[in-house]
C-alpha cells in the first residue's frame, strides 16, 4: 500500500536521456515513507489506483517537477548594500568598491556585528521567498565572518534554518572569500589561519558539507586556494569554487584538478577550462543574477560546456552585493534570455544538475523510484512556462519527503 498517489498530471521527471524533460504525459507518481515508490504512465499502474494508495490526488493535467534546488547562496549575512547599489549607479565599479574596503568587507562588518538571532531573522525572510517558489533544497555559504567564531556563527544559523524549516540545507565553508582587515595585505598568513584554525574547527563541529573559495584578483590566487583545497581534502570534504567571474585566472582548471563538485560563475572560462571540467565531472553553476546586477556583458561559454558535456546548474547566488536575488524562477528566465539556455536546460539546472553540484544526485534532482519524494505541483501545462513567464509564481504546492508543505 502506498501512502499517496498523484494522477492526471504531466510529470517532468528530468531523467537524463528520457526525452525532453523526461516528460510523462499521462503520469502517475506514488510515494511511501517519504520516498518515490513508483512513477510512470498511469496506464501501467499495477492495479486499481484507489485500492493502491491511502490518498489519491488528481491534478487536472497540471505539471509536476522535482523540487527545486538552489545550489549556490550566501543567504546568511548581516546588513544590505543598497547604498553601494546607488554608488554603482553613480559610476563606481564593483571592483573599485571592493578595493576601497566596501563590497564583501562591508558585509563582513555587518555580519560580525550581528548576533545569531539577527542573522537568522534576515535569512529566514529570504529562505521563505525561495521556498514560496518551490525550493526544497538550498545550499548556504559562510564567507562573511572570516574568522573562526564568525564563520561558525554563520554556519550554525544555516544549520538551524535547515532544522526549523521544511527545506534541506547544505552548507559550504567559504573562509577564503575575502581578506579580512586584521590581516592587512598578508593573504598567505590569512590562508594559514583558514587551514590551521577555521577549517579544522568548522569540520570538527560538523558545520560544513563542502569547502568553497573565491579565485579572483580581488580575492585569492590559485596557489592560495590550492592550500585550502588540500586541507579540505585531508578532512574528507568536497570542494567548490567561485571561478572566472571577473577574469580568467584558470579557476575552472583549478576546480577540475581537485575534482570539485562545481565551479561557479565562469563568465571568463576558456575552452580548456570547460574541457578540464568535463573530464573531472565538475558541474558548471551559472549565476545570471550576478551577471545581471554587475551588468556583465561576457556570457559564460555555454556552447563549450555543451560540446564537452559539462552539466550546467543554475542558482540565485543570493548575496547582498552582486546578486540580491530571492527568486529561483527569475534565474530560469534570465538563463534563457542572457545565456541562451533552453528552458529544458534551465529546469535541469535547478533540479538534476543542481543536485549533482551538491553531491546529492543519488537522492534528489529527478523523479525516479527510490529518490526522495520532493516535488512541486505547478499551475502550468508545459514545463517551458517556468522559464517563459517573468514575475509570476505558478507554484501550486510543494511536497517534501512525501508530505505537503
Ligand atoms: N562572488 C559572488 O557573486 C559573491 N561572492 C563571490 O565570490 C558576491 C559577494 C558579495 O559581493 O558580497
Ligand atoms: Fe557566490
Amino acid at each position: 500500500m502506498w501512502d499517496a498517489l498523484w494522477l492526471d498530471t504531466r510529470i517532468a521527471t528530468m531523467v537524463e536521456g528520457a526525452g525532453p524533460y523526461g516528460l510523462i504525459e499521462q503520469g502517475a507518481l506514488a510515494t511511501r515513507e517519504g520516498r518515490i515508490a513508483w512513477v510512470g504512465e498511469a496506464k501501467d499502474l499495477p492495479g486499481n489506483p484507489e485500492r493502491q494508495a491511502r490518498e489519491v490526488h488528481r491534478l487536472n493535467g497540471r505539471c509536476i517537477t522535482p523540487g527545486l534546488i538552489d545550489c549556490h547562496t550566501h543567504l546568511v549575512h548581516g546588513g544590505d548594500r543598497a547604498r553601494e547599489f546607488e554608488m554603482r549607479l553613480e559610476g563606481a565599479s564593483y571592483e573599485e568598491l571592493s578595493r576601497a574596503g566596501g563590497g564583501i568587507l562591508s558585509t563582513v562588518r555587518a555580519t560580525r556585528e550581528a548576533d545569531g538571532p539577527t542573522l537568522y531573522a534576515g535569512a529566514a525572510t529570504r529562505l521563505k521567498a525561495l521556498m514560496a517558489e518551490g525550493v526544497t533544497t538550498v545550499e548556504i555559504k559562510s564567507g562573511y565572518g572570516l574568522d573562526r567564531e564568525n564563520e561558525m556563527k554563520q554556519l550554525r544559523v544555516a544549520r538551524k534554518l535547515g532544522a526549523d524549516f521544511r527545506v534541506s540545507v547544505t552548507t559550504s565553508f567559504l573562509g577564503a572569500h575575502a581578506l579580512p582587515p586584521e590581516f592587512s595585505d598578508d593573504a598567505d598568513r590569512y590562508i594559514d589561519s583558514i587551514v590551521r584554525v577555521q577549517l579544522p574547527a568548522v569540520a570538527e563541529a560538523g558545520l560544513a558539507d563542502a569547502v568553497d573559495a573565491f579565485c579572483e584578483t580581488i580575492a585569492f590566487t590559485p596557489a592560495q586556494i590550492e592550500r585550502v583545497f588540500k586541507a579540505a581534502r585531508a578532512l574528507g570534504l568536497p570542494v567548490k569554487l567561485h571561478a572566472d567571474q571577473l577574469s580568467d585566472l584558470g579557476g575552472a582548471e583549478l576546480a577540475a584538478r581537485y575534482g570539485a563538485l562545481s565551479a561557479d560563475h565562469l563568465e571568463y572560462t576558456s575552452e580548456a577550462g570547460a574541457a578540464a571540467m568535463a573530464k573531472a565531472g565538475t558541474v558548471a553553476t551559472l549565476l545570471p543574477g550576478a551577471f545581471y546586477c554587475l551588468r556583465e556583458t561576457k556570457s559564460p561559454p555555454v556552447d563549450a560546456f555543451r560540446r564537452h558535456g559539462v552539466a550546467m546548474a543554475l542558482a540565485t547566488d543570493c548575496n547582498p552585493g552582486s546578486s540580491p536575488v530571492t527568486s529561483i524562477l527569475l534565474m530560469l528566465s534570465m538563463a534563457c534570455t542572457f545565456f541562451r539556455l533552453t528552458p529544458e536546460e534551465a529546469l535541469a539546472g535547478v533540479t538534476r544538475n543542481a543536485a549533482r553540484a551538491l553531491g546529492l544526485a543519488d537522492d534528489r534532482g529527478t523523479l525516479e523510484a527510490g529518490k526522495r519524494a520532493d516535488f512541486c505541483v505547478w499551475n502550468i501545462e508545459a514545463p517551458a512556462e517556468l522559464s517563459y513567464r517573468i514575475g509570476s509564481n505558478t507554484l501550486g504546492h510543494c511536497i517534501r519527503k512525501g508530505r505537503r508543505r
Side-chain angles (χ1 to χ4, degrees):
M1 193 79 173
W2 293 325
D3 294 337
L5 174 64
W6 282 263
L7 290 172
D8 196 7
T9 167
R10 308 179 78 199
I11 304 179
T13 65
M14 300 313 289
V15 171
E16 200 161 17
Y21 300 95
L23 197 68
I24 303 171
E25 284 288 347
Q26 290 292 331
L29 186 151
T31 60
R32 190 193 295 124
E33 289 171 4
R35 302 251 145 210
I36 297 172
W38 195 92
V39 59
E41 299 272 359
K43 66 172 168 47
D44 297 332
L45 277 169
N48 178 345
E50 320 295 331
R51 268 189 246 124
Q52 282 181 284
R54 264 179 275 280
E55 287 171 22
V56 178
H57 307 276
R58 292 176 198 277
L59 294 178
N60 255 317
R62 288 187 292 162
C63 278
I64 286 180
T65 69
L68 305 189
I69 299 174
D70 191 350
C71 66
H72 179 144
T73 85
H74 308 250
L75 215 61
V76 176
H77 59 258
D80 67 73
R81 306 240 287 277
R83 177 60 201 135
E84 189 177 296
F85 175 60
E86 291 178 318
M87 285 159 75
R88 278 194 281 119
L89 286 168
E90 286 155 15
S93 77
Y94 183 72
E95 280 130 307
E96 279 162 14
L97 290 163
S98 162
R99 290 185 206 285
I104 294 173
L105 289 182
S106 74
T107 301
V108 171
R109 285 189 289 277
T111 303
R112 286 178 171 181
E113 272 165 28
D115 60 11
T118 305
L119 291 177
Y120 180 93
T125 302
R126 294 182 280 274
L127 182 59
K128 285 183 210 158
L130 293 176
M131 290 171 69
E133 288 187 347
V135 169
T136 50
T137 297
V138 60
E139 183 258 19
I140 301 178
K141 302 176 194 300
S142 63
Y144 291 120
L146 308 186
D147 60 31
R148 179 176 55 191
E149 179 197 336
N150 285 296
E151 286 289 300
M152 290 177 82
K153 176 175 74 179
Q154 269 193 284
L155 292 168
R156 275 194 210 99
V157 169
R159 286 280 194 239
K160 183 165 164 55
L161 290 165
D164 293 354
F165 286 83
R166 294 193 56 207
V167 68
S168 301
V169 170
T170 74
T171 56
S172 302
F173 167 65
L174 178 56
H177 192 198
L179 185 61
E182 63 274 19
F183 283 85
S184 55
D185 287 339
D186 196 346
D188 291 313
R189 202 162 57 81
Y190 179 60
I191 298 289
D192 288 345
S193 103
I194 290 176
V195 303
R196 297 207 190 121
V197 181
Q198 294 185 41
L199 183 51
V202 162
E204 164 80 25
L207 284 172
D209 301 314
V211 172
D212 196 349
F214 188 16
C215 182
E216 195 52 70
T217 49
I218 55 169
F220 298 98
T221 65
Q224 288 161 344
I225 286 163
E226 286 210 39
R227 295 184 53 209
V228 178
F229 281 2
K230 284 192 178 128
R233 183 183 274 172
L235 291 163
L237 288 170
V239 300
K240 310 170 80 70
L241 189 64
H242 283 70
D244 309 333
Q245 179 188 5
L246 309 169
S247 61
D248 181 9
L249 294 187
E253 290 91 333
L254 169 63
R257 236 176 7 259
Y258 282 83
L261 288 172
S262 70
D264 304 38
H265 288 287
L266 305 172
E267 279 82 348
Y268 288 82
T269 296
S270 66
E271 178 90 31
M277 286 173 65
K279 221 166 144 209
T282 296
V283 173
T285 299
L286 310 183
L287 305 168
F291 175 92
Y292 166 79
C293 290
L294 299 184
R295 303 186 77 224
E296 179 59 66
T297 51
K298 191 165 158 44
S299 287
V302 164
D303 278 335
F305 294 143
R306 287 189 186 118
R307 264 186 281 112
H308 291 280
V310 177
M312 291 181 281
L314 277 182
T316 60
D317 194 14
C318 176
N319 78 67
S322 65
S323 191
V325 169
T326 47
S327 170
I328 190 96
L329 292 176
L330 184 59
M331 298 304 96
L332 303 189
S333 163
M334 285 187 176
C336 294
T337 298
F338 289 142
F339 301 160
R340 309 314 279 166
L341 260 63
T342 65
E344 185 189 356
E345 286 172 327
L347 186 55
V350 295
T351 55
R352 183 179 71 235
N353 293 337
R356 279 183 62 177
L358 298 178
L360 294 172
D362 291 341
D363 190 56
R364 273 164 251 177
T366 60
L367 298 175
E368 292 175 87
K371 287 203 177 178
R372 217 163 80 170
D374 286 3
F375 56 91
C376 298
V377 176
W378 301 94
N379 298 322
I380 58 173
E381 287 178 13
E385 289 182 58
L386 295 175
S387 295
Y388 155 72
R389 297 188 187 283
I390 302 171
S392 36
N393 182 3
T394 54
L395 183 71
H397 58 272
C398 198
I399 309 290
R400 177 165 178 272
K401 294 187 181 173
R403 283 201 308 133
R404 186 163 170 159
R405 187 165 79 181

